[in-house]
Amino acid sequence: MSLLIRAMPRTALLRASILKSQPCLSALAKRESSTGNHTPLWTAERAVSAALIGVTPLALAMPNPATNFLLSLALTAHIHWGMEAIAVDYVRARVVGSVLPKLAMGAVYGLSFATLGGLMYFNFTDVGLANAILMFWKL
Amino acid sequence: MNAILRGGVYGRCLTRSLLSSQCVPLRASSSIPSEAFFEKQKALKRPLSPHLSIYKPQLTTVLSISHRISGIGLTAVVYGMAIGALASKGQFPECIAAIQAAHVSQAIIIPTKFLTSSAFFFHFYNGIRHLCWDMGLGFTIKELYLTGKIVVVLSAVSAAYATFML
Ligand code: HEM
Ligand code: HEM
């Protein structure tokens, strides 16, 4: 058992809720850090994913400044955590050395800020995210 | 009999070992494999596990990696839109007008729509499937395959509808 746990990638595994409460497993928990309580972050990630189930169709059905704002915010947060997980899983210091993981993480943060800024700028100065999708779909 | 017995014994062992004695709460420092452990693994030059080119693709694994791939694909679209909005001077309607003026063939537009809507609907429905797992639901092999098939069918129907009917 302990060998099995050790051989697992350190990032994730623990997301499965059956294992969530096991203290021996949560020590290996998410992201690169091995300290701190990661449950609130995990819950926030799922809450944003769940919110997208409602916010995405809502924004497309009623595109307005409020729904565009909500969609852009939720989408950027969701994308940020998703791409962060992917960077942590595949750009590992063990495999690629200590520099690339930092660059990858920096890229994820940079792209997330640019995305949030870009989408908000687009919402305030142009037709807005949901409208843009609808306009594209009419082509 | 034999099978039942085995199933029962293994099942109970697994539950017990997960829940109690063998799962000693470890401190963070002792739970992280040592440098020597990784050196040894590296020296063994093991292939990637599971060995992707010989491991049989199954609905479960194919949908798992597809969730990631669709997430990355959709993300690329959003990154592109957001950075495009920052980088370009024009307004979006002008951009749409330019595409219209270019008379892009339906042979390009239809596959593009089908591809993006497939990625979106698959990720959407499979995302709901993920969230069900996160609540502890749907982990039996039977449920895994059933919900997987439902997601595939729903995605195909939704993408076809979005491509041809909207
Ligand atoms: C070709 C086969 C496989 C594919 C395509 C595959 C794909 C994936 C993907 C995409 C993830 C991302 C995590 C997520 O969606 O939450 C993942 C996570 C994981 N996989 Fe696999 N996998 C395969 C086989 C296996 C096998 C055979 C095992 C174990 C014996 C395994 C153990 C894990 C574990 C422990 C995680 C982390 C779980 C989590 O993040 O919640 N995988 N896999
Ligand atoms: C609209 C409803 C959506 C729902 C319900 C949803 C749900 C989810 C869930 C639950 C996960 C976590 C999977 C895991 O546990 O590992 C996830 C991952 C992800 N999502 Fe979404 N998602 C949605 C839309 C989107 C969109 C529109 C994008 C991109 C523009 C996106 C990009 C991603 C990425 C990049 C990941 C990381 C993939 C991974 O870790 O394997 N999602 N999504």
Side-chain angles (χ1 to χ4, degrees):
Chain A
M1 182 69 192
S2 97
L3 189 69
L4 181 69
I5 295 173
R6 281 171 186 216
M8 290 290 181
R10 241 198 290 166
T11 42
L13 153 81
L14 327 170
R15 293 190 211 158
S17 50
I18 0 163
L19 302 177
K20 223 167 60 180
S21 58
Q22 299 292 324
C24 56
L25 291 172
S26 54
L28 285 169
K30 302 180 53 158
R31 307 298 145 80
E32 285 293 282
S33 94
S34 49
T35 55
N37 180 2
H38 294 266
T39 310
L41 177 59
W42 187 90
T43 310
E45 289 172 4
R46 308 306 118 165
V48 168
S49 296
L52 277 174
I53 301 172
V55 171
T56 313
L58 185 74
L60 292 173
M62 326 193 277
N64 63 45
T67 54
N68 274 324
F69 182 87
L70 273 182
L71 180 62
S72 303
L73 196 63
L75 206 53
T76 309
H78 182 76
I79 287 176
H80 175 74
W81 283 322
M83 296 306 282
E84 188 186 31
I86 288 169
V88 170
D89 280 356
Y90 300 134
V91 194
R92 291 185 297 155
R94 294 270 173 218
V95 182
V96 299
S98 62
V99 181
L100 273 181
K102 293 193 181 92
L103 283 181
M105 204 51 73
V108 169
Y109 274 84
L111 284 163
S112 296
F113 280 117
T115 300
L116 187 62
L119 292 182
M120 290 303 171
Y121 175 74
F122 190 75
N123 289 340
F124 285 115
T125 65
D126 209 321
V127 294
L129 179 57
N131 261 321
I133 295 169
L134 295 173
M135 285 170 78
F136 175 81
W137 218 256
K138 287 212 187 75
L139 282 175
Chain B
M1 179 59 194
N2 201 2
I4 297 170
L5 196 66
R6 260 196 261 158
V9 168
Y10 279 131
R12 218 166 304 150
C13 281
L14 185 62
T15 322
R16 280 228 343 243
S17 63
L18 263 177
L19 290 181
S20 62
S21 53
Q22 286 179 302
C23 203
V24 189
L26 299 170
R27 271 166 290 110
S29 56
S30 61
S31 69
I32 292 165
S34 66
E35 207 55 47
F37 174 83
F38 281 107
E39 288 309 317
K40 197 174 135 203
Q41 297 303 317
K42 222 176 182 174
L44 285 169
K45 288 202 167 51
R46 293 187 199 275
L48 184 70
S49 173
H51 199 301
L52 289 181
S53 54
I54 60 171
Y55 199 86
K56 187 180 172 207
Q58 293 152 97
L59 187 69
T60 43
T61 58
V62 171
L63 295 196
S64 179
I65 199 63
S66 303
H67 193 75
R68 221 161 230 202
I69 293 169
S70 58
I72 296 172
L74 292 166
T75 297
V77 173
V78 175
Y79 281 169
M81 273 194 72
I83 294 167
L86 291 176
S88 77
K89 270 178 267 156
Q91 294 289 99
F92 190 74
E94 295 162 25
C95 172
I96 291 286
I99 298 174
Q100 276 166 340
H103 292 289
V104 180
S105 154
Q106 286 298 310
I108 291 175
I109 291 183
I110 289 176
T112 307
K113 283 186 182 178
F114 190 71
L115 205 70
T116 37
S117 58
S118 307
F120 173 77
F121 283 114
F122 171 72
H123 191 92
F124 181 85
Y125 295 126
N126 201 56
I128 297 173
R129 187 165 168 252
H130 257 281
L131 293 171
C132 290
W133 292 333
D134 291 339
M135 295 186 293
L137 303 172
F139 277 118
T140 66
I141 295 294
K142 219 177 127 192
E143 288 166 329
L144 245 26
Y145 275 87
L146 178 67
T147 54
K149 284 172 193 159
I150 292 173
V151 162
V152 171
V153 172
L154 276 180
S155 313
V157 172
S158 307
Y161 182 83
T163 304
F164 298 107
M165 305 298 212
L166 295 183

